[in-house]
């Protein structure tokens, strides 16, 4: 009798670029999402976002995203429903997941959507499952793992690079060990619309 197979894990690999402002002044300028069922990519989403505030000079130089590029693009509010649907019921994955998840959660909260997903950080998982590498920055990690080079500090390119790292880890250790690295599993996994009148 064969052992039961673990449930297929579903991931949303996410990267955001931001204006670089301090605190609540920092807004999303670009978002990339890759949907994975196990180690198979099943969808993706990308958009520039009009943040409504200026992009800092440092970030302009880092990402190449300018105020002119995002002017006239959809604001996050126009994308919120679509993004919430894509992320619903999936493990939120990012390289330094705390930053990207916080930015998405904050933007969704502005749109009255509560979002507190299970999370997986590819920096931490890579240190555990690919030990001894000289650097775990996204660029250096992809190079060490023999993955294709990519356009750094652009949301979709960073997302797809992160997704490739996740696929390698998934194939190396399997879903059960990956699941042990997921944080916040005990919370509801569905994005919920908040009642703006509720206190």
């Amino acid at each position: 009798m064969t052992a039961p197979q673990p449930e297929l894990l579903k991931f949303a690999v996410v990267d955001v670029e931001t204006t670089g402002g301090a605190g609540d002044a920092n807004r999303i300028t670009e978002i990339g999402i890759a949907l994975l069922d196990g180690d198979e990519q099943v969808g993706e989403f990308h958009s520039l976002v009009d943040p409504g505030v200026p992009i800092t000079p440092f970030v302009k130089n880092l990402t190449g995203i300018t105020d002119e590029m995002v002017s006239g693009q959809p604001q996050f509010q126009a994308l919120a429903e679509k993004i919430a649907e894509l992320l619903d019921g999936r493990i939120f994955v990012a390289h330094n997941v705390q930053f990207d998840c916080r930015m998405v959660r904050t933007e969704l909260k502005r749109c009255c959507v509560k979002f507190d997903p299970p999370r997986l950080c590819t920096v931490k998982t890579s240190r555990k499952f690919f030990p001894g590498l000289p650097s775990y920055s996204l660029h250096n990690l992809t190079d060490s793992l023999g993955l294709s080079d990519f356009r750094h500090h652009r949301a979709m390119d960073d997302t797809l690079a992160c997704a490739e790292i996740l696929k390698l880890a998934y194939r190396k250790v399997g879903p059960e060990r990956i699941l042990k690295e997921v944080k916040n599993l005990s919370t509801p996994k569905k994005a919920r619309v908040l009642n703006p009148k509720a206190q």
Side-chain angles (χ1 to χ4, degrees):
M1 184 176 180
T2 58
Q5 294 298 308
E7 183 180 352
L8 188 68
L9 299 182
K10 295 189 175 185
F11 307 99
V13 186
V14 182
D15 185 83
V16 298
E17 304 300 335
T18 71
T19 58
D24 288 343
N26 195 22
R27 304 297 295 269
I28 290 175
T29 59
E30 187 178 36
I31 185 167
I33 302 171
L35 304 179
L36 271 64
D37 290 354
D39 61 353
E40 179 184 358
Q41 184 171 327
V42 295
E44 63 180 56
F45 172 82
H46 166 261
S47 183
L48 286 166
V49 182
D50 184 348
V53 296
I55 302 170
T56 64
F58 173 80
V59 170
K60 288 179 186 177
N61 290 331
L62 182 70
T63 65
I65 299 173
T66 65
D67 296 312
E68 291 73 23
M69 287 172 62
V70 296
S71 177
Q73 297 293 330
Q75 294 191 337
F76 193 91
Q77 184 174 2
L79 302 171
E81 183 177 356
K82 173 70 172 178
I83 290 170
E85 287 176 358
L86 290 170
L87 300 180
D88 231 357
R90 291 181 176 269
I91 298 167
F92 188 108
V93 183
H95 211 64
N96 293 313
V97 71
Q98 187 174 359
F99 173 80
D100 295 271
C101 190
R102 183 178 70 245
M103 290 301 305
V104 172
R105 184 171 57 233
T106 300
E107 293 279 15
L108 285 172
K109 185 177 180 181
R110 290 189 179 103
C111 302
C112 296
V113 177
K114 185 176 182 180
F115 182 64
D116 189 22
R119 299 182 287 274
L120 180 68
C121 181
T122 50
V123 176
K124 294 179 179 178
T125 55
S126 295
R127 286 178 175 148
K128 186 164 188 175
F129 299 136
F130 306 112
L133 299 180
S135 169
Y136 290 88
S137 71
L138 189 58
H139 180 202
N140 291 331
L141 185 56
T142 54
D143 188 51
S144 294
L145 294 174
L147 298 171
S148 300
D149 198 9
F150 61 99
R151 185 173 51 164
H152 311 295
H153 302 298
R154 290 300 304 267
M156 200 66 228
D157 299 82
D158 286 358
T159 292
L160 294 176
C162 184
E164 291 302 315
I165 293 167
L166 176 60
K167 290 177 190 178
L168 286 181
Y170 191 95
R171 292 163 187 162
K172 181 178 182 179
V173 305
E176 290 181 338
R177 287 190 67 192
I178 291 289
L179 192 61
K180 291 179 180 178
E181 303 302 313
V182 176
K183 308 301 181 187
N184 205 36
L185 270 175
S186 61
T187 63
K189 298 178 179 61
K190 293 288 186 181
R192 301 198 308 274
V193 177
L194 298 173
N195 181 354
K197 297 179 181 179
Q199 297 299 316

